[in-house]
Structures are given as C-alpha cells and as structure tokens.
Amino acid sequence: MSHPVKIKNALISVYYKDNLEPIIHELKRLGVTIYSTGGTETFIRNLGADVVAVEDLTSYPSILGGRVKTLHPKVFGGILSRRSLEGDKQQLDQYEIPEIDLVIVDLYPFEETVESGAGHDDVIEKIDIGGISLIRAAAKNYKDVVILASKDDYIELAEILQNQEGSTTIDQRQKFAQKAFNISSNYDTAIFQYFNRQEPMPVFKQSIQTSYALRYGENPHQQGTFYGNLDAMFTKLNGKELSYNNLVDVDAAVALIDEFTEPTIAILKHTNACGIASRSFIKEAWIDALACDPVSAFGGVIIANDEINAETATEINKIFYEVLIAPAYTDEAVQILMEKKNRIILVRQTVELPVKQFKTLLNGVIEQDKDLVVEGPEQMKTVTNRQPTTQELRDLFFANKIVKHTKSNTIVFAKNNQLLASGVGQTSRVDALKQAVIKANSFGFDLNGAVMASDAFFPFNDCVELAAEAGILAVLQPGGSIKDQDSVDMCNAKNISMVTTGVRHFKH
C-alpha cells in the first residue's frame, strides 16, 4: 500500500536555509499551516508566507538562551501521534494539539565547530538537543510524518510537493526516515568521538557520510565501496575512476612519500616500492627510481613529492602505469600526460590524515596507531667494531624509511639515496635477502658499498654473512634477538658495520 499522507501542518526550524524557499512557496500554495522558531520564522515571514510561532502553539517562550524551544508535548505529541489509533486522536483533541505531518529540521554544526578549533564551551553549545529529538521523533513515526533532516533533500521534497499536490507515499517517507537516522547517528558519533579524546573508552565507533561505489573490490566477483571524501584528497586531471586495488596502492604510496623531503619519486606495485630515489631534480629522481626495477614498474602507481615538469612527464609517459600522483604539474606536463586517456593523473591536496588504522578481523575489528615512527642517524646505535660512515648513515636512514613501508619479511638494499633492490613478503628473512640479491644482480646493480635494512631482528647470523659476501658494508636492524651477538660477531668477522634502532617495523 502507498498509504498517502496529505501534509496539513509543518514544523520548520533550520540552521541552513539554502534552497528552502521553493518548499515554503509550495507549502503556501497548498494552504499548509507552518510552525517555526527564531531565524527560520523570520525567513518564512519575509517570503510572504503565514507562519505560527512555536511559542504561540506551546504558550511557552524560548528559554535558557534558546536551549529550550520545541521541547513540549504540543510539538512532540503532534509528531508522534499515530493517526490510525483512536486513542491518540482523542488525546490530541483533548489537549488541542495539531497533527504535524512534515518536520524540516537540521542540526547545529557540531563537527564544523570542532574542526574550527573553537573552545570547549562553544563546542558544547553546538550540541543540538531539540533538533535531534525532533528528527528522531518524526523518523520514528514515518508512517504518518515526513522528516527532512538535511538541506540536500530540499529540492527533492519541493518536487514531491509540486508533483503530488502535498501528498507523500509511505516509500518516500521511509526513505527520508532512513536518511534522518543516518544523520542522527553520525551526529551522535561525532559528539562521542569529541568526548572520547582525553581518556578513550574501549569502544569502536566510526561514521563516514561520503561514499563512492567502486567498479568492484579486490577481484571482479567482489563488491567494493570507498567511504570518505576523495575529492578533498585529490583533484583528478585525467583517467578512469580509481579501483579498489588502485586505492590500496595509492594509500601505500602516500604513506611512503611522506617520509621524504628531498625531491623524490616512488613506484609501487601491490603496496611495495619497486623503485624509489631522491635527487636534486625530479627528473633525475624518476630516472633512478625506474632503474631499480623497470619490469615491476609496468602497471604501477607513481608518486612524487615535487612538481612534475614537461621533461619528467615525457620520460614517465614512456611506460605504462595506472596512477600518477604529484602535488603539482606544469601546464605542458599535463598536456603530455593526458595523451594517454586512461592514465589516472591526480593532484594531491593538503589533507590531515588519520593517525589510527583499523580493519575487520574474524567477528570483530582491530585498531592500532599508525606506524609514524622512523629512526634516523641519531637513534642508530653502532654495535660493531667498524663505525658506519656519514654517507652510510644517510643511506641506512633512506633504507629504513623504505623497509618500514614494505611487506614483511623484508630486506632493503640502498645506496646514494636510491633503492637498489628489496626482498618482500617472504616467510623467512634469509629468503627475503636472497631475493633482494637476485633482483639487484638482474638489473645490474653493484652492491659493493651498499647498505642493508631489515624490518625485524636477525634470528641467526646467516643474513649478515650473505650480505657481506654480496658487498654490503653497513646493516640496520632493530635488534632484540637472544642471538643478536651472533650477528654482531659475524659483522665484525666480515668487517662491516651494524646499527640497531630498538624499533621493529613489521608490516603484514
């Protein structure tokens, strides 16, 4: 059944009045009695429509500085009364309460006030009480009442009023109620998160209003959705929509590039860097990043922390890639890159990123702080007879940044601010090292004088022995194994340096 309801009485009290005018004109045309308060009441009068002040309905003024305006049985009774129950009708008649068929209410801008850096007292005053109560009451009684809780729905309601002569269907009312409960739950979550900052309660709550339907998930038979505001993060200049796998790689790319301040380009494949280099000029950074593993770079995600110019764009355009991200591009570079219509070209905007991460696991969710720590030369403790040189310390710092963002177990070889090779995602650390040696040799890199970083400690001395035989001169590891001394002794025997950081960087 459509269960049409003709709107006879409406309550309107909103913070945002954009696009509200067409609704007021339609309600006036339909002869609907409008009840309102404060600024909204004035707005409606200025449009030439009759309006009844809520104070006149309740016989109570707005009190406590506006904190109490609509919290009254003559308001909520008219919203919550069940039209199908004779007892409810009798009580409305007894207490002279009008049936309210339409409620248009939004909420004080709590999240915006928090984000503005306002003081605690100002934030508290933006916790809406009357509005949230009206929304919940009207949404609960959707069988008889229309609830609009967002300015985004004003145009839709105006069209319904015009096309259906003031009547609504049960499906329309239920849809608006669904949206209203989404708004109220998001609002309550935002308030809880604000209060949960100082001494957090062990509960998990997230509410994200913006979403994008993806073509599919990790594989074509899986559905996928991104929740968040991508438009705030990136401006897309070219290409198709980002896929689930693109987004996962882009996330890894952003986290990695943020470790570097010198002009740097990284190439990622399946969230792991297959090439990265820091140079004085961005074109040189691209050439040396690609040299690391030009085979794996095919179809990868490329990210830069400096402007892409025409020369660099010309070089990048010589290979197939999925996504290119940079903070800026010259006009000529954009024209060159847009020659390949399916390439996704993104301009990265400055956005504050979350400091926690979570994912579903088993029948629940796990959450942790992001790994935002990286150890530089000041945190490196030399544990061998040979001291690393200044350049080796710089290279160890460079390698440590990469190893932190590479899937465990991992070994990274680097030299002169360039990734030479890495072994990633291996079930044993020595296998990761062997993989890295093979890759370095296959692309013609000389490991003599290079450095090695490991995401976790060495359980045995075989890794440093193989590394020394490959030409590695300095090794970085967190330490912490009961057999650390075996690896230190091997380094001393091979006359190579080892530093420990005390910080493990597993990435599963």
Side-chain angles (χ1 to χ4, degrees), residues 101-316:
D101 316 296
L102 169 64
V103 176
I104 303 178
V105 179
D106 58 13
L107 300 168
Y108 291 157
F110 177 83
E111 291 180 271
E112 292 88 338
T113 304
V114 173
E115 290 170 2
S116 73
H120 181 71
D121 289 345
D122 291 332
V123 170
I124 295 303
E125 285 307 309
K126 286 298 185 289
I127 298 177
D128 206 311
I129 303 301
I132 200 79
S133 302
L134 290 167
I135 288 171
R136 291 177 66 84
K140 175 179 179 177
N141 204 26
Y142 72 90
K143 289 183 179 180
D144 298 306
V145 179
V146 181
I147 172 63
L148 244 68
S150 170
K151 64 182 185 296
D152 296 337
D153 295 325
Y154 288 174
I155 294 175
E156 182 179 357
L157 178 65
E159 292 174 352
I160 290 173
L161 293 174
Q162 184 176 34
N163 297 333
Q164 299 172 199
E165 288 299 308
S167 290
T168 59
T169 66
I170 185 68
D171 289 341
Q172 289 168 338
R173 294 192 298 276
Q174 186 169 359
K175 177 184 174 184
F176 284 131
Q178 178 188 25
K179 292 181 178 181
F181 281 125
N182 176 44
I183 288 170
S184 67
S185 65
N186 179 73
Y187 196 76
D188 286 339
T189 298
I191 294 169
F192 171 77
Q193 299 289 27
Y194 174 78
F195 279 93
N196 203 42
R197 296 183 304 179
Q198 298 300 322
E199 296 182 13
M201 295 172 60
V203 296
F204 181 82
K205 291 180 185 289
Q206 290 289 329
S207 181
I208 302 174
Q209 294 292 80
T210 308
S211 66
Y212 300 83
L214 305 176
R215 296 196 302 274
Y216 50 80
E218 199 164 10
N219 299 291
H221 64 276
Q222 296 169 269
Q223 291 185 341
T225 305
F226 174 81
Y227 295 95
N229 187 0
L230 275 178
D231 293 336
M233 183 90 191
F234 301 109
T235 299
K236 190 174 75 169
L237 303 181
N238 188 66
K240 56 190 178 181
E241 296 302 316
L242 288 162
S243 69
Y244 181 100
N245 292 331
N246 288 155
L247 286 168
V248 172
D249 283 335
V250 166
D251 177 69
V254 167
L256 174 60
I257 203 69
D258 283 351
E259 302 282 3
F260 299 89
T261 55
E262 298 177 23
T264 302
I265 288 186
I267 310 167
L268 287 88
K269 198 74 170 287
H270 301 298
T271 74
N272 296 305
C274 56
I276 182 168
S278 297
R279 294 292 182 259
S280 298
F281 300 98
I282 204 69
K283 178 184 175 183
E284 284 70 25
W286 164 252
I287 290 171
D288 288 344
L290 180 63
C292 174
D293 186 349
V295 174
S296 296
F298 182 86
V301 168
I302 304 167
I303 190 164
N305 64 358
D306 203 357
E307 182 181 67
I308 300 295
N309 54 33
E311 286 186 337
T312 309
T314 299
E315 293 298 319
I316 292 174

